Amino acid sequence: MAARGGFFLSLLNYKTEKYVIAENRKIGILFRLYQLAVLGYIIGWVFVAKKGYQEKEEAIQTSVFTKLKGVALTNDSNKGLHLWGAEDYVIPPNGEQVFFVVTNYIETPNQRLGFCPESDRVPDGRCTSDDDCEEGETVIAGNGIKTGVCINSTGTCEVHAWCPVEYSPRPQEPLLSAAENFTVYIKNFIRFPNFNFFRSNVLETAEANYLKNCTYDSETHPYCPIFHLGNLVSWTGSDFQEMAVKGGSVGILIEWKCDLDKDYSLCNPQYSFTRLDININNSVTSGYNFRYAKHFKDPKGESFRTLYKVYGIRFDIMVNGQAGKFSIVPTIIALGSGIALLGAGAFACDMILLYMMNTSSFYRERKFEIINFNKDGKDSKAAHRERRSKKSSVEKEASNSITREDETGVAAAESQSSSVERRGPTIPRNTGQRYSALLSPGPDQKLHVSFSPRF
């Protein structure tokens, strides 16, 4: 319990930094290299490449209109010559973000409600006897409802349907091969609501006939919104005539990247193109087709129809974008993350010094220091008296050392003077005479000085 209480009390301690300079060249070089890498990341990647100082908006509001132009002439055994216009081969004809262009078709004309044999290409419609054709049962993936009769000549069940049922095979060459030269006008409007910014992909120009004479080219006319269908397919890496036989799907991506810190005229779309359907070794998953019918009435008022199974290319227009403008909030966040990364470098170097070096214990002793503050006043006074007694003892010791030094100096001076008394005074010599002084060995003897001439 005491250990647990000590742990919880330690949570109330305050920790502050203590800076220790570790003269370790390897750690110092490692830390500086890390700092340079972080600075390069913040400046080069965060601010220059990703524009981390900008507020970004990706919730783009967009609207797309399409308009196709072109005519094609076909000649088949059922209808003979037929001129196809945009209202015939474009589905839907009003122009939307997704549109379909007919490139090949199977036509079954003059179908009327009645009884006829099911197609032998429908597995559920095949039979060997009437028992295989249960009356009132719908033919799975077929054209009508079984009547209970098996037609031996065709080996299929009789059905109540629009007769005759579809029977013609798919043409091996596209009937509307001229669709490669059709053009599509794609008009795109965008809006970034947070910045109240509007833009269109149509080039702002004073030339009235610009759109009548231009077609999109990534180098010569990058901002012309008129495209050849053949180019749209070829830019995906596919062949238009090959795709036109069975159909396919092409994606047109319009991408807006607008830096609103610059002039608004520099905000222009970038186009990219891709094939969306899977075309692997002419598998059954490749291609695109569907059926539709045109209904008529004869002079007698009876209904009949012409059934079309059309193959073609579906174009999906996808728009996305991003706008950015300077804001102080993302700038502060980017700087804060950079400072945090710099702190991570200091933490890593500390871990190396604390736990991975031979001198780790020495570094820990220098880095961490615990200071205890006493809570009781008496203890504080006692601690203060103890510090004062320690100080006075230190001062006494210092004064004693000074006294000893003085006594030593005095003793040395006295010994020097006694030696002088024993030796006697030194008398200088004059020219022609020599003086000598002799000290008497006893206190009663008198000083005797003798002079001797010098020749």
Side-chain angles (χ1 to χ4, degrees), residues 180-240:
E180 184 174 4
N181 297 319
F182 296 169
T183 59
V184 56
Y185 173 32
I186 302 175
K187 186 186 296 185
N188 178 216
F189 297 94
I190 64 162
R191 177 175 178 264
F192 291 101
N194 287 350
F195 302 124
N196 196 26
F197 176 75
F198 302 84
R199 192 70 175 159
S200 170
N201 68 328
V202 181
L203 182 65
E204 297 178 0
T205 177
E207 187 178 350
N209 295 324
Y210 175 75
L211 294 178
K212 295 181 179 179
N213 300 322
C214 77
T215 54
Y216 175 83
D217 185 271
S218 59
E219 296 182 358
T220 58
H221 294 287
Y223 305 122
C224 178
I226 298 176
F227 303 84
H228 280 289
L229 297 187
N231 291 337
L232 293 178
V233 175
S234 63
W235 288 329
T236 67
S238 302
D239 181 76
F240 184 90

Side-chain angles (χ1 to χ4, degrees), residues 43-119:
I43 297 173
W45 179 255
V46 176
F47 285 102
V48 177
K50 292 299 182 180
K51 294 181 172 60
Y53 56 87
Q54 290 184 336
E55 179 185 356
K56 302 294 178 64
E57 182 183 7
E58 297 182 355
I60 184 173
Q61 298 175 352
T62 179
S63 178
V64 177
F65 305 96
T66 58
K67 182 189 296 184
L68 278 90
K69 288 186 177 181
V71 293
L73 183 65
T74 60
N75 186 8
D76 60 49
S77 58
N78 294 324
K79 297 182 64 174
L81 292 175
H82 181 70
L83 185 66
W84 293 72
E87 60 278 2
D88 299 317
Y89 58 75
V90 178
I91 302 172
N94 59 332
E96 296 180 358
Q97 198 162 346
V98 177
F99 62 94
F100 176 83
V101 178
V102 178
T103 57
N104 207 359
Y105 63 93
I106 299 173
E107 182 182 9
T108 307
N110 197 25
Q111 283 187 324
R112 296 176 183 268
L113 283 174
F115 299 93
C116 56
E118 180 61 273
S119 173

Side-chain angles (χ1 to χ4, degrees), residues 252-264:
I252 303 172
L253 177 62
I254 305 176
E255 188 169 7
W256 296 83
K257 290 186 177 180
C258 300
D259 187 354
L260 301 184
D261 293 327
K262 300 179 181 179
D263 190 84
Y264 288 177

Side-chain angles (χ1 to χ4, degrees), residues 15-34:
K15 296 180 180 179
T16 185
E17 293 182 349
K18 178 181 179 181
Y19 292 97
V20 178
I21 299 176
E23 294 184 349
N24 189 310
R25 295 291 180 265
K26 293 181 179 179
I27 298 297
I29 292 173
L30 177 64
F31 182 59
R32 297 307 177 194
L33 289 176
Y34 177 82

Side-chain angles (χ1 to χ4, degrees), residues 107-113 143 161-166 291-298 302-308:
E107 182 182 9
T108 307
N110 197 25
Q111 283 187 324
R112 296 176 183 268
L113 283 174
N143 297 284
W162 288 93
C163 299
V165 297
E166 181 183 283
R291 292 175 175 85
Y292 73 95
K294 292 183 178 180
H295 291 262
F296 310 93
K297 283 189 176 182
D298 60 13
E302 295 180 358
S303 297
F304 67 97
R305 73 176 190 178
T306 298
L307 177 66
Y308 291 93

Side-chain angles (χ1 to χ4, degrees), residues 250-420:
V250 172
I252 303 172
L253 177 62
I254 305 176
E255 188 169 7
W256 296 83
K257 290 186 177 180
C258 300
D259 187 354
L260 301 184
D261 293 327
K262 300 179 181 179
D263 190 84
Y264 288 177
S265 63
L266 299 177
C267 177
N268 293 302
Q270 299 294 325
Y271 299 94
S272 59
F273 312 92
T274 183
R275 182 167 182 175
L276 301 178
D277 66 310
I278 301 175
N279 184 27
I280 303 175
N281 298 325
N282 294 321
S283 64
V284 294
T285 59
S286 62
Y288 184 72
N289 65 81
F290 61 91
R291 292 175 175 85
Y292 73 95
K294 292 183 178 180
H295 291 262
F296 310 93
K297 283 189 176 182
D298 60 13
K300 297 180 181 180
E302 295 180 358
S303 297
F304 67 97
R305 73 176 190 178
T306 298
L307 177 66
Y308 291 93
K309 181 180 181 180
V310 293
Y311 301 83
I313 303 174
R314 171 191 170 112
F315 293 90
D316 293 81
I317 302 174
M318 298 164 284
V319 182
N320 59 43
Q322 183 185 79
K325 194 172 185 178
F326 174 78
S327 177
I328 190 63
V329 174
T331 304
I332 293 175
I333 293 174
L335 290 175
S337 63
I339 294 173
L341 287 176
L342 290 175
F347 175 78
C349 291
D350 275 346
M351 292 299 101
I352 294 174
L353 288 171
L354 288 172
Y355 302 106
M356 301 181 186
M357 303 288 290
N358 294 331
T359 58
S360 295
S361 58
F362 176 77
Y363 181 74
R364 281 196 296 270
E365 292 176 358
R366 295 297 182 271
K367 181 174 177 62
F368 300 109
E369 181 178 354
I370 300 175
I371 301 175
N372 293 323
F373 293 92
N374 295 318
K375 300 179 181 179
D376 192 0
K378 295 181 179 180
D379 294 341
S380 299
K381 292 180 179 179
H384 182 64
R385 285 197 299 270
E386 183 179 355
R387 287 195 297 271
R388 290 188 61 183
S389 63
K390 288 183 179 180
K391 182 177 179 181
S392 60
S393 63
V394 171
E395 290 177 352
K396 287 180 180 180
E397 184 177 356
S399 62
N400 291 336
S401 63
I402 294 173
T403 303
R404 286 194 297 270
E405 289 178 359
D406 293 340
E407 291 177 354
T408 304
V410 171
E414 290 178 353
S415 62
Q416 184 177 3
S417 62
S418 62
S419 64
V420 171

